[in-house]
Structures are given as C-alpha cells and as structure tokens.
Amino acid sequence: MARMEAAATIGGLAAELGIYRGLLFKWRRAFEAGGRAAFRTSGRLRAPKPVPEATASAVLIPTDLTAARRRIEELERKIGQQQLDLDFFRTALRHVRDQQPGKGEPGDTTSTR
C-alpha cells in the first residue's frame, strides 16, 4: 500500500510489478476493509499472471512520453551548442580570410612564375 501511495501513477507501478493495475485497486479495497488480515490466506501463494504485452505497452506510454520529451530537450540543447560552434568558426574563418593578402593586387609579393 505504501508503494501505491508513493507511486507517480498506479499504471506505472502495475507495469513495474508486472500485474494488472485493477489488481492493485482490488488489494487497496481489501486493505481498507480488513487491514493486513485481509491478505492472510490458508492456501498456497501463486505468482501473479504476467501482463499481456499490449497492456504493458499501453501502461508505459506516459513514461515513454516523458523520456522522449527529455531526449528532445537534450537534442535541442546539443543543436544549440553546435550552432554556437558554427557561428564561432564562421567568424574565425572570416577573420583569417580578411588578414590574408589577396593574390595579384598591387603591392603583393607574389611568385613570378
């Protein structure tokens, strides 16, 4: 129950645990009705059924969307840095070209060949 309270989304917690999110709500209702005693059984413990792939991927969409947004922000920062680098090198190249003497202009020392 503490994990449910701390989880960002119930669907995300269900996907992490590999169970249906409806089962988490069922457990919460049982806990609210009977406390810890509601979970004591006389039978053998069974492993939870795995969540089908389609359901698991549908549950993970918000997490994937958040990760995609972070990646987009990271790439936008990188593009911005690359643009700054390009601007710097264009300016430096322009400066170097302006400092070089032209060919064949009066006063230049060029080859006579």
Side-chain angles (χ1 to χ4, degrees):
M1 295 303 105
R3 295 271 312 264
M4 282 182 71
E5 295 299 322
T9 64
I10 301 300
L13 177 60
E16 178 186 333
L17 297 173
I19 59 175
Y20 292 102
R21 73 185 195 128
L23 185 56
L24 289 172
F25 290 112
K26 180 180 175 183
W27 288 346
R28 181 167 60 186
R29 283 191 303 274
F31 183 76
E32 289 170 351
R36 288 182 169 262
F39 295 102
R40 291 194 183 105
T41 62
S42 59
R44 188 176 73 155
L45 293 176
R46 287 185 268 161
K49 295 178 186 175
V51 177
E53 191 62 36
T55 305
S57 64
V59 170
L60 295 177
I61 287 174
T63 304
D64 291 343
L65 184 59
T66 303
R69 285 185 176 148
R70 280 192 208 120
R71 180 70 174 148
I72 289 169
E73 289 173 2
E74 175 187 335
L75 292 172
E76 285 176 342
R77 280 191 298 275
K78 187 170 194 139
I79 289 170
Q81 183 60 48
Q82 288 175 340
Q83 187 61 48
L84 288 172
D85 292 346
L86 282 172
D87 292 343
F88 170 79
F89 286 116
R90 281 186 187 126
T91 303
L93 181 60
R94 216 175 285 128
H95 180 71
V96 168
R97 284 184 180 159
D98 290 345
Q99 298 298 320
Q100 291 178 343
K103 292 184 179 178
E105 295 178 0
D108 286 345
T109 56
T110 58
S111 174
T112 55
R113 286 192 188 184

